[in-house]
Amino acid sequence: MDSSDKERGERGVTCSLLGLPDGRLRVVLNDVRNLAPGESGPWQHEVFVTFKDYERGELSSLDLPEDELAAFGHYVLACLLAANGLLLSEP
C-alpha cells in the first residue's frame, strides 16, 4: 500500500447529505481547511459553498440526468481548484 493514502492537502471540499422535514434530501458543499496539512486532518469548516435539494427517490436511486451528474462533478472540482488558488480565469 502506498504511504500517501493518508496524506491530504491544505484545503478541501466537503459534501454532506441532510434529510429535510418534508422528506427531500439536501446535498451541501463547504470549503474546509486541513489543520494538519500533509496529514489526514483534522478539518475545519471555512466557507459555505452551496446546496441543492432533491426528491429522496430521485437521489437515492441516482435517477438524475447525466448532464446534472456531470455538472455536479465539475462544480466540485471547480470548488476544489478555487479553494487551493489553482482555478485558471478565462482570458
Side-chain angles (χ1 to χ4, degrees), residues 1 4 22 37 68 75 91:
M1 180 181 291
S4 65
D22 65 2
E68 183 162 354
Y75 195 77

Side-chain angles (χ1 to χ4, degrees), residues 16 23 33 35 38 40 50 54 57 76-77 85-86:
S16 63
R33 178 185 298 273
L35 298 178
S40 60
T50 193
Y54 293 94
V76 169
L77 286 174
L86 299 171

Side-chain angles (χ1 to χ4, degrees), residues 2-3 5 10 13-14 17 22 24-25 27 29 37-39 41 47 49 52 58-61 79 81 84 86-87 91:
D2 185 357
S3 65
D5 67 337
E10 183 178 337
V13 176
T14 63
L17 191 62
D22 65 2
R24 293 180 300 154
L25 296 172
V27 176
L29 296 178
E39 298 179 20
V47 178
V49 176
K52 185 164 184 183
E58 173 186 44
L59 192 59
S60 62
S61 66
C79 289
L81 289 167
N84 285 279
L86 299 171
L87 187 62

